[in-house]
């Protein structure tokens, strides 16, 4: 046993694994330390920065011996930004550890029985995949210690970037390597125009200033892009000059909008959006389906990954022409419409009225007559459908990170829907809900992890369940 660890202690450890949040984990005298940007197999000298009863956190002071899985991250601000957590680990190893994270989430649960977890599906090109970005506008970017700051005008140039993880320090990002290249080009063009026109940047401390954020969305299929300027005041000065500059710099730009957000809040978008020029939406085409999407629409941020998700759903849903399906948490209908190509009828449910309106538009855009959509919370709508006597052969669940409301799972157990397909972006909440469904008579047959978010710790999962037993876990 060595000296007890204290804040500021330096020690050596060997990294054993990667955790759900992307941190590496190692042990010192059997005491767990989490280390950001460590790679399994690294031998590190670390400095302890946080201590709890059962674990601590440390930062890397020196890499004594690098892991064979460690690579040089290509992003110049990777160590400051925090938007990515795994760029320092080679892509094959990222996929291995994402598969392991899913398996580990299921390991200690009872009642599931043996579950086949397939290797995580790779994205053919794990860069420039995000079709949407929300960037912070600032004049005071975060600079690592020791960085020299220019004088005069150079010191107060506009910059765009992302918040450093867990802070409100803005890290200047000139080109994000996981963003669509069109998004990067539009952001730089907007920065140049704002700087030339001397638009004042919003100050979150006192609420003064004008420009807060820039939001862009690109279409993978049409190679067009939209820009939203999020402002604290209802009028942008010299707006025509701004439009002329960004349109000249990016010919693929199809629309510029202004969103008004005057409130001192962490929420990015306000409730009012005004079209300044062009169109307020793009059309994305995926697997023969067209989707009308606005900058604020909920749509999968990885269009290429959505193609792979469709391929998995084709197999797992196994829909026939006589089947009816319910899609809970359906968003703008991207999965509902894919099922509607095979099913007799698909009913989509989502709590967002705006998303449901988009889903109806998208259904009409594709001339699909066998879809219906309901705006409302799934935990309230599904019991109503049950009381009305509606029955389905398939339920598709695609909830937010927190997972399904318990009432949704209970009603599924009462409805005795033969097949359930669960799409999740959080292995922990997926595992919890699969255990609950196991008590309601559902057997989890297989899980396919999918890398929708390369270079980050996030992993998408698709689980296939079938009704095989009694609903012993039903509440009375």
């Amino acid at each position: 046993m060595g000296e007890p660890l204290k804040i500021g202690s330096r020690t050596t450890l060997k990294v054993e694994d990667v955790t759900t949040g992307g941190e590496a984990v190692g042990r010192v005298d059997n005491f767990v330390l989490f280390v950001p940007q460590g790679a399994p197999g690294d031998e590190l000298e670390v400095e302890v920065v946080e201590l709890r009863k059962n674990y601590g956190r440390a930062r890397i002071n020196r890499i004594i011996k690098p892991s064979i899985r460690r690579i040089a991250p290509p992003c110049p601000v990777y160590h400051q930004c925090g938007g990515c957590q795994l760029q320092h680990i080679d892509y094959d190893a990222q996929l291995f550890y994402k598969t392991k994270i899913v398996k580990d989430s299921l390991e200690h649960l009872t009642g599931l029985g043996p579950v086949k977890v397939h290797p995580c599906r790779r994205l053919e090109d794990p860069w420039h995949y995000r079709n949407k970005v929300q960037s912070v506008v600032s004049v005071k970017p975060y600079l690592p210690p020791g960085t020299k700051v220019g004088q005069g005008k150079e010191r107060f140039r506009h910059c765009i970037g992302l918040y450093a993880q867990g802070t409100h320090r803005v890290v200047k990002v000139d080109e994000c390597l996981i963003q669509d290249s069109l998004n990067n080009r539009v952001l730089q063009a907007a920065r140049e125009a704002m700087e030339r026109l001397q638009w004042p940047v919003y100050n979150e401390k006192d609420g003064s200033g004008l420009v807060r954020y820039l939001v862009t969305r690109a279409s993978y299929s049409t190679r067009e892009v939209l820009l939203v300027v999020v402002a604290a005041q209802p009028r942008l000065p010299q707006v025509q000059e701004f439009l002329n500059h960004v349109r000249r710099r990016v010919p693929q730009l199809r629309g510029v909008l202004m969103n008004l957000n005057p409130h001192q809040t962490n929420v990015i978008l306000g409730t009012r959006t005004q079209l300044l020029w062009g169109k307020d939406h793009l059309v994305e085409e995926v697997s023969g389906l067209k989707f009308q999407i606005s900058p604020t629409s909920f749509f999968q941020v990885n269009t290429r990954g959505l193609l792979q998700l469709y391929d998995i759903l084709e197999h797992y849903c196994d829909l026939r022409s006589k089947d009816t399906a319910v899609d809970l948490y359906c968003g703008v209908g991207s999965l509902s419409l894919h099922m509607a190509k095979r099913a007799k009828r698909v009913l989509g449910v989502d709590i967002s009225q705006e998303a449901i309106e988009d889903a109806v538009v998208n259904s009409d855009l594709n001339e699909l007559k066998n879809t219906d959509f309901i705006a409302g919370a799934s935990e309230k709508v599904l019991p109503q459908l049950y009381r009305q006597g509606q029955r389905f052969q398939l339920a598709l669940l695609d909830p937010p990170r927190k997972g399904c409301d318990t009432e949704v799972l209970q009603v599924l157990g009462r409805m005795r829907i033969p097949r359930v397909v669960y799409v999740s972006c959080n292995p922990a909440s997926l595992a919890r809900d699969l255990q609950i469904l196991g008590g309601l008579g559902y057997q989890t047959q297989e899980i396919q992890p999918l890398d929708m978010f390369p270079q980050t710790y996030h992993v998408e999962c698709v689980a296939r369940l079938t009704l095989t037993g009694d609903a012993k876990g039903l509440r009375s």
Side-chain angles (χ1 to χ4, degrees), residues 89-280:
I89 299 175
D90 75 72
Y91 190 47
D92 285 337
Q94 289 184 36
L95 297 172
F96 172 83
Y97 286 106
K98 289 186 180 188
T99 305
K100 187 175 182 298
I101 284 168
V102 177
K103 289 180 177 180
D104 289 348
S105 297
L106 302 170
E107 190 175 51
H108 303 296
L109 295 179
T110 58
L112 280 183
V115 177
K116 174 67 174 176
V117 178
H118 299 283
C120 187
R121 277 206 189 184
R122 68 190 303 119
L123 201 64
E124 186 175 340
D125 179 4
W127 303 100
H128 297 294
Y129 61 84
R130 287 188 61 95
N131 58 41
K132 181 181 178 181
V133 61
Q134 299 179 142
S135 288
V136 192
V137 182
S138 175
V139 290
K140 293 183 178 180
Y142 167 70
L143 298 172
T147 304
K148 292 184 179 181
V149 179
Q151 301 298 316
K153 292 182 179 179
E154 180 68 23
R155 186 176 180 180
F156 299 100
R157 292 182 65 183
H158 289 70
C159 83
I160 52 175
L162 302 170
Y163 287 124
Q165 194 167 20
T167 75
H168 263 226
R169 301 192 309 243
V170 178
V171 177
K172 181 175 181 284
V173 179
D174 291 327
E175 181 184 6
C176 178
L177 298 183
I178 63 172
Q179 283 296 335
D180 189 300
S181 57
L182 275 179
N183 287 334
N184 287 324
R185 288 174 56 195
V186 171
L187 291 175
Q188 290 307 316
R191 182 196 61 77
E192 293 166 1
M194 291 188 301
E195 188 175 295
R196 180 178 298 180
L197 299 172
Q198 296 186 338
W199 283 2
V201 174
Y202 178 77
N203 185 324
E204 64 179 11
K205 291 183 178 179
D206 61 16
S208 63
L210 176 63
V211 187
R212 304 182 68 160
Y213 304 97
L214 297 175
V215 179
T216 67
R217 174 157 248 158
S219 167
Y220 179 71
S221 59
T222 66
R223 306 311 298 147
E224 296 177 335
V225 62
L226 297 177
L227 168 66
V228 181
V229 179
V230 182
Q233 300 174 27
R235 184 175 175 275
L236 299 176
Q238 298 174 283
V239 68
Q240 192 58 52
E241 287 87 341
F242 176 84
L243 294 173
N244 290 343
H245 181 86
V246 292
R247 289 175 61 187
R248 184 170 59 252
R249 289 275 281 107
V250 187
Q252 297 91 337
L253 187 64
R254 289 295 172 265
V256 180
L257 302 93
M258 187 194 78
N259 177 269
L260 179 62
N261 185 358
H263 306 292
Q264 287 185 266
T265 173
N266 292 334
V267 176
I268 292 176
L269 295 172
T271 56
R272 287 175 50 194
T273 302
Q274 171 190 352
L275 180 65
L276 300 178
W277 166 82
K279 299 189 297 185
D280 63 357

Side-chain angles (χ1 to χ4, degrees), residues 102 106 115-121 307-320 323 325 335 338-339 342 393-397 417-424 430 434 442-450 460-467:
V102 177
L106 302 170
V115 177
K116 174 67 174 176
V117 178
H118 299 283
C120 187
R121 277 206 189 184
L307 276 167
Q308 292 207 30
L309 180 57
Y310 278 170
D311 182 60
I312 298 166
L313 290 177
E314 190 88 21
H315 172 60
Y316 279 16
C317 292
D318 192 26
L319 286 164
R320 298 168 176 83
D323 288 343
L335 305 185
H338 181 70
M339 292 193 296
R342 289 187 174 272
Q393 284 69 55
L394 174 78
L396 178 66
L397 312 176
I417 297 174
R419 307 192 304 280
V420 172
V421 174
Y422 193 133
V423 181
S424 171
L430 171 67
L434 292 183
Y442 286 95
Q443 175 67 44
T444 303
Q445 303 294 345
E446 56 185 325
I447 298 175
Q448 177 63 70
L450 168 64
E460 197 89 353
C461 295
V462 188
R464 180 174 69 88
L465 300 88
T466 55
L467 186 64

Side-chain angles (χ1 to χ4, degrees), residues 274-293:
Q274 171 190 352
L275 180 65
L276 300 178
W277 166 82
K279 299 189 297 185
D280 63 357
H281 66 274
L282 298 174
V283 173
E284 184 69 275
E285 186 167 346
V286 188
S287 190
L289 290 169
K290 294 179 180 179
F291 297 95
Q292 179 175 300
I293 52 175

